[in-house]
Amino acid sequence: MSGGAGPPYETSPSHLAELLGLTRGALSARLVAVEEAGLITRTHETGDRRRVRVRLTDAGYAVLDEHVAAEEAGELALLAALNPAERRTLADLLRKLVLAVES
């Protein structure tokens, strides 16, 4: 979350909203429930109470880790129907679509 993908998994709400494709207001409403569940903390930077940092807690990191593992297992199960050549073809076609969307 910190701009990179490693610890301390912290960023500003505006950066997080941008990453998720949400408005800051929509993200703020979602963060309340996530914070109440103990998955993140929101802290104010010293000297400027307007600047807020959002950080994953240990519990939040564990939930994220479980989610990523479940997604990976689902993807592997889905791809099991394809042989290696079909997987390469699928990857090539998806890459072509992504490049078309990005240009």
Side-chain angles (χ1 to χ4, degrees), residues 10 13-14 16 18 20 31 35 45 56 58 65 84 89-90 95 100-102:
E10 177 181 297
S14 58
L16 187 55
E18 180 182 324
L20 297 172
L31 290 180
E35 186 175 28
E45 290 187 13
L56 278 177
D58 289 342
D65 203 34
T89 299
L90 176 61
R95 189 175 303 107
V101 168
E102 289 178 347

Side-chain angles (χ1 to χ4, degrees), residues 31-70:
L31 290 180
V32 171
V34 177
E35 186 175 28
E36 287 175 354
L39 303 178
I40 62 162
T41 59
R42 287 191 281 185
T43 56
H44 295 278
E45 290 187 13
T46 55
D48 188 350
R49 302 254 330 138
R50 295 171 297 168
R51 293 189 180 261
V52 176
R53 303 297 293 172
V54 177
R55 178 183 282 211
L56 278 177
T57 62
D58 289 342
Y61 181 77
V63 168
L64 177 63
D65 203 34
E66 288 173 23
H67 177 74
V68 169

